[in-house]
């Protein structure tokens, strides 16, 4: 798969990416109790992949969580609408000193290495914008928050496809609350913890991990024609798994780890080629 963008260096808007800010004296404690990753691993200026689960351990939303300071967290949401997410989280605030806001900050991408950010440490090259290192084996990438950018649909599609190539599932609303972190292979992103204290869905996530019951995970697929989210993946005419993310001809599907050899196909008989996931997005 060719992961080279048509214009490598310029900044282009990522309108599906939005910010939800969690602030207040109890922001860290609230997030630690609700989200699936361990925030005690972060210091100011660091970020991690994280998410919110149902009580049954299904992923509601996946995001990058930035710790600006002990009382300020940003959730960088690649797909979810921050407004209803904030309303859902408010139900669990109780007496915690926490507030939610929706910063009016544009998010942009560039297919070039960051100026200052590296690994899980984000940077603020100017007073007005931040950058994160989204590079991986398939190429250098910089994600920017609050930076000026232009509209470029082709570059945006290339960015989204690059996410899938690196094993970052992009979850449209139809795929929310369907999959466990293990089924989405989120251990690749170090996006959840099995050792921290309780959080919604933690018991199921930990049991699956410690009993070795994760029988499905992500596979990267490519086709000769556009694919559709929610479509079945077939082997020998039988449904084997489901496409959870796709950008044109590139898709991520949840498939069994152990399966018979044979040609994978779509429901309409289109052949699917399985590719190796690129590394590099774990933080």
């Amino acid at each position: 798969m060719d992961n080279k963008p048509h214009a490598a260096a310029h900044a282009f808007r990522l309108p599906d990416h939005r910010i939800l800010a969690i602030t207040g004296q109890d922001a860290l404690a609230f997030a630690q109790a609700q989200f699936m990753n361990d925030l005690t691993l972060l210091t100011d200026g660091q970020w991690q992949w994280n998410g919110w689960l149902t009580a049954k351990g299904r992923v509601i939303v996946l995001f990058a969580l930035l710790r600006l300071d002990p009382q300020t967290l940003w959730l960088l949401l690649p797909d979810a609408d921050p407004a209803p997410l904030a309303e859902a989280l408010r139900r669990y605030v109780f007496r915690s000193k926490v507030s939610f806001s929706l910063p009016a900050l544009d998010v942009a991408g560039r297919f070039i290495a960051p100026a200052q950010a590296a690994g899980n440490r984000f940077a603020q090259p100017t007073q007005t914008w931040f950058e994160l290192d989204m590079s991986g084996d398939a190429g250098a990438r910089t994600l920017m928050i609050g930076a000026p950018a232009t509209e470029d649909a082709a570059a945006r599609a290339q960015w989204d496809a690059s996410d899938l190539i690196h094993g970052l599932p992009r979850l449209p609303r139809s795929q929310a609350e369907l999959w466990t972190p293990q089924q989405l292979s989120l251990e690749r992103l170090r996006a959840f913890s099995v050792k921290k204290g309780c959080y919604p869905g933690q018991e199921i996530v930990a049991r699956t991990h410690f009993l070795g019951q994760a029988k499905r995970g992500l596979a990267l697929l490519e086709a000769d024609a556009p694919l559709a989210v929610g479509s079945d993946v077939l082997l020998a005419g039988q449904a084997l798994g489901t496409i959870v993310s796709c950008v044109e001809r590139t898709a991520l599907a949840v498939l069994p780890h152990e399966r018979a050899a044979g040609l994978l196909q779509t429901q309409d008989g289109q052949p699917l080629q399985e590719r190796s996931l690129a590394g590099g997005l774990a933080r």
Side-chain angles (χ1 to χ4, degrees):
M1 283 177 288
D2 183 6
N3 192 42
K4 295 181 180 179
H6 73 287
H10 74 281
F12 50 90
R13 293 188 66 244
L14 298 172
D16 292 337
H17 291 62
R18 286 161 288 184
I19 304 294
L20 171 60
I22 303 178
T23 57
Q25 181 178 325
D26 297 326
L28 276 173
F30 175 83
Q32 180 75 346
Q34 288 297 319
F35 302 147
M36 65 183 182
N37 210 345
D38 189 351
L39 274 73
T40 66
L41 302 176
L42 296 180
T43 59
D44 293 355
Q46 292 184 323
W47 68 279
Q48 64 182 193
W49 295 112
N50 208 322
W52 196 35
L53 306 180
T54 68
K56 295 183 178 180
R58 269 49 180 181
V59 179
I60 301 170
V61 59
L62 180 66
F63 49 82
L65 186 148
L66 288 70
R67 172 173 165 162
L68 278 70
D69 59 56
Q71 297 190 29
T72 309
L73 306 175
W74 282 359
L75 309 189
L76 173 61
L77 305 165
D79 304 293
D81 187 337
L85 177 59
E87 286 302 312
L89 287 169
R90 284 191 182 97
R91 300 172 192 158
Y92 301 92
V93 170
F94 304 118
R95 297 182 180 179
S96 299
K97 296 180 180 180
V98 172
S99 61
F100 304 90
S101 61
L102 311 179
L105 296 170
D106 287 335
V107 179
R110 296 178 73 185
F111 286 99
I112 193 171
Q116 299 178 20
N120 77 329
R121 182 159 293 280
F122 60 88
Q124 190 173 6
T126 74
Q127 292 184 341
T128 58
W129 63 275
F130 296 79
E131 67 173 15
L132 282 71
D133 183 5
M134 290 287 176
S135 303
D137 291 348
R141 301 193 304 167
T142 300
L143 186 143
M144 299 174 292
I145 300 173
T150 60
E151 296 289 346
D152 189 330
R156 186 171 74 243
Q158 184 65 41
W159 181 278
D160 293 344
S162 182
D163 279 345
L164 305 192
I165 291 166
H166 285 99
L168 173 62
R170 301 290 301 275
L171 295 179
R173 184 175 300 178
S174 66
Q175 298 302 303
E177 303 187 33
L178 296 181
W179 310 103
T180 67
Q182 287 96 338
Q183 288 172 333
L184 295 177
S185 298
L186 294 182
E187 67 277 358
R188 284 176 48 86
L189 305 179
R190 302 174 187 168
F192 64 93
S193 172
V194 296
K195 297 180 179 179
K196 63 175 273 189
C198 291
Y199 56 89
Q202 183 267 345
E203 182 179 353
I204 291 173
V205 171
R207 186 191 315 133
T208 299
H209 173 79
F210 289 113
L211 295 181
Q213 295 177 339
K215 298 181 179 180
R216 291 175 172 258
L218 287 185
L220 177 64
L221 305 175
E222 187 180 36
D224 293 329
L227 299 167
V229 169
S231 297
D232 288 339
V233 175
L234 278 58
L235 177 64
Q238 300 297 315
L240 185 70
T242 305
I243 292 176
V244 299
S245 310
C246 69
V247 178
E248 293 295 329
R249 300 180 298 109
T250 302
L252 289 174
V254 174
L255 300 178
H257 291 306
E258 297 183 7
R259 56 184 186 270
L263 177 64
L264 299 177
Q265 295 179 304
T266 62
Q267 293 167 275
D268 59 4
Q270 181 182 182
L272 296 167
Q273 298 295 323
E274 185 172 358
R275 308 296 189 190
S276 297
L277 290 166
L281 290 189
R283 297 292 178 239

